[in-house]
Amino acid sequence: MWLISLAVFALVMAASASITQGDVTFGIIDHQAAGTASRVDEIQAQWREGGVLSLAIIAMMADLAWIWIYALGSYLAGREFATKRRGVLRFLGLFICAAAIVFGITDYTETISQFIQLLQGEGSDTLAGIAAFMQPIKIAAFMAAFIGVIVAMVADRFTGRSATNS
């Protein structure tokens, strides 16, 4: 499931990238980091004028689906190491599980805050502030889970699964 989430991520990134075309210079990441209602309004006005507002809605809906797939896939990968391995791999599995949970909570909070503003057609200082606050936490948790899964898989491969509980 974790590998599937990476493929879905590529599709979400392509959908997000389709927003910045023609005279549209602001993307989803700009919307995430906006921080204020006036900045959100500026970004959404550009999307409306550029004819990509519906693409932004689709991209955010795809992001909402992807968050679940990635968070669950990372959590399940971490749980596999936490329950079926010993020592460092078990600890790494618990770390991945925690990172996946933090990622899911923060990315859903961020994206739902954005999505509400997008559907309302206007920014909210509160929601924009929440989204901007969650963005770096989400990114850190995403990277922790991503790198954690890769490190655990490589370490597990090199240990020859000798740390397996039987």
Side-chain angles (χ1 to χ4, degrees):
M1 178 171 215
W2 184 77
L3 289 174
I4 291 169
S5 76
L6 298 181
V8 173
F9 181 64
L11 296 174
V12 170
M13 298 295 3
S16 295
S18 71
I19 294 168
T20 53
Q21 54 183 298
D23 292 335
V24 178
T25 57
F26 296 124
I28 295 289
I29 293 173
D30 299 305
H31 198 275
Q32 292 169 348
T36 65
S38 62
R39 182 71 170 156
V40 168
D41 291 341
E42 178 185 1
I43 293 166
Q44 291 183 176
Q46 190 186 73
W47 290 350
R48 261 189 308 280
E49 292 165 12
V52 297
L53 193 61
S54 59
L55 290 175
I57 291 169
I58 291 167
M60 284 193 201
M61 289 178 4
D63 193 21
L64 288 167
W66 171 76
I67 294 165
W68 172 251
I69 295 167
Y70 182 77
L72 181 61
S74 296
Y75 179 83
L76 292 174
R79 189 181 74 178
E80 183 75 14
F81 290 107
T83 60
K84 296 185 178 173
R85 303 295 184 267
R86 295 183 185 166
V88 173
L89 282 173
R90 176 173 281 175
F91 172 78
L92 191 52
L94 292 171
F95 175 79
I96 294 165
C97 287
I101 291 167
V102 170
F103 169 78
I105 292 168
T106 56
D107 203 5
Y108 267 128
T109 302
E110 175 200 58
T111 305
I112 289 169
S113 296
Q114 287 182 269
F115 199 53
I116 290 169
Q117 294 174 93
L118 188 57
L119 294 179
Q120 289 179 342
E122 65 181 2
S124 157
D125 281 332
T126 301
L127 293 174
I130 290 169
F133 178 79
M134 291 296 167
Q135 187 189 37
I137 301 167
K138 166 203 77 170
I139 291 169
F142 169 83
M143 294 305 296
F146 181 80
I147 293 168
V149 169
I150 291 172
V151 168
M153 289 188 318
V154 169
D156 193 43
R157 175 110 180 167
F158 282 119
T159 61
R161 299 182 187 249
S162 61
T164 304
N165 288 339
S166 297

